[in-house]
Amino acid sequence: MNQVRHVPVMLQRCLDLLAPALTEPGAVVVDCTLGLGGHSEALLSAFPAVRLIALDRDQEALRLSGERLAPYADRATLVHAVYDELPEVLGELGTPRVQGVLFDLGVSSMQLDEADRGFAYAQDSPLDMRMDQTAGVSAAEVLNTYPPGELVRILRAYGEEKQAKRIVSAVVREREREPFTHSARLVELIRDALPQAAKRTGGNPAKRTFQALRIEVNGELAVLERAVPAAVGSLAVGGRIAVLSYHSLEDRLVKQVLAAGAATTAPPGLPVVPERYQPRLELLTRGAELPTEEEVAENRRAAPARLRGARRIREDVL
């Protein structure tokens, strides 16, 4: 496993966004999506006094990043957990409030590159796609057992696939003949099912279906819906959050949570807004920030990235 190939997306911008909160003595930063440890290593290196708590649901990622972060072992705590479990993890570690939180919601390079994981449509592999291979249903089980209407909903909602009905009709026909086990057969089926015009745009025609299956298998949007508010709630006043997302569904969800935190909740027309209605967050990015052209040229996986950040400006007042 060559770890050098993993280039963290928008790394310097993430560090810059979090930096003002991480220079405080005793600062704690949480990397909610450890992956191969690129962002975590940079945080530990850039902020010599910071303590890191890092989460990942993938045991193999924890093992590999543990090796990478060994020089910082005295300041790093790696935890096998899904990121919506953040409040429980912080509670168990006796650190209910932290100064920084980072999410990088992309599929880790390792998962895309390891053939037996089934995330990539460019090579034939078992249709698994579970980030935690010890739990849950695989992509093959979803394809082979979900009712047609549910599959259409997943492809439309999570893959934004306009040809969902065509693809699902072909899947249902094929799975009766023989259950799906490997990705190449699914990629071929999608190519055959799509009209010519749909194949000419937007890269590999299987991309949207694979994205939809991955999100369903890992419950990604449901987890994210719980995780971002939980992370905001874990920030100390002055603490900062940075979130990298890679498709519009994730970005919309992150935007909504941060925008709600930055808005007043007062009934309209109050001459003075009481403190309990004041915003909890200050937005640090104007809309979503995009990677530079240079970065995309160096790392094609950065292309769809969208970065949003916010700062906690007050405690909740009941």
Side-chain angles (χ1 to χ4, degrees), residues 220-270:
E220 287 175 41
L221 289 177
V223 169
L224 188 61
E225 235 170 318
R226 296 188 294 271
V228 180
V232 167
S234 301
L235 287 175
V237 172
R240 290 171 168 236
I241 180 171
V243 187
L244 275 167
S245 45
Y246 293 80
H247 55 77
S248 57
L249 299 163
E250 287 175 342
D251 183 52
R252 199 176 308 145
L253 208 153
V254 174
K255 176 186 176 181
Q256 286 166 351
V257 173
L258 299 186
T264 173
T265 55
L270 290 185

Side-chain angles (χ1 to χ4, degrees), residues 30 49 59 67 90 109 112 118 156 175 181 212 252 279 286:
V30 181
Q59 298 272 29
E67 292 172 9
L90 294 179
S109 302
L112 284 170
R156 278 188 183 149
R175 78 185 185 185
T181 58
R252 199 176 308 145
R286 287 176 64 105

Side-chain angles (χ1 to χ4, degrees), residues 11-164:
L11 177 60
Q12 192 54 49
R13 188 65 192 112
C14 289
L15 295 178
D16 292 346
L17 265 181
L18 296 172
L22 300 186
T23 49
E24 301 293 312
V28 177
V29 64
V30 181
D31 184 347
C32 284
T33 45
L34 174 62
L36 286 179
H39 283 109
S40 279
E41 183 180 44
L43 286 163
L44 288 161
S45 166
F47 307 105
V50 86
R51 192 158 74 78
L52 171 87
I53 298 168
L55 281 54
D56 209 293
R57 62 168 84 179
D58 188 324
Q59 298 272 29
E60 182 66 359
L62 286 164
R63 185 182 70 75
L64 289 166
S65 55
E67 292 172 9
R68 180 178 192 161
L69 301 178
Y72 306 98
D74 57 329
R75 293 195 283 130
T77 305
L78 311 189
V79 184
H80 182 231
V82 184
Y83 41 72
D84 64 338
E85 298 171 307
L86 177 62
E88 291 81 3
V89 170
L90 294 179
E92 283 171 23
L93 294 173
T95 315
R97 283 280 194 269
V98 299
Q99 282 64 47
V101 178
L102 172 67
F103 286 89
D104 178 358
L105 300 170
V107 181
S108 101
S109 302
M110 177 194 73
Q111 290 164 339
L112 284 170
D113 295 341
E114 299 304 291
D116 61 348
R117 300 298 290 270
F119 287 93
Y121 37 81
Q123 51 193 353
D124 191 25
S125 56
L127 279 166
D128 190 324
M129 297 197 197
R130 289 172 301 165
M131 291 181 187
D132 180 351
Q133 292 189 295
T134 65
V137 298
S138 68
E141 287 174 79
V142 170
L143 277 176
N144 293 326
T145 64
Y146 276 30
E150 185 66 359
L151 285 175
V152 170
R153 183 191 70 77
I154 289 165
L155 263 58
R156 278 188 183 149
Y158 299 160
E160 300 176 280
E161 174 56 79
K162 294 185 179 72
Q163 305 291 335

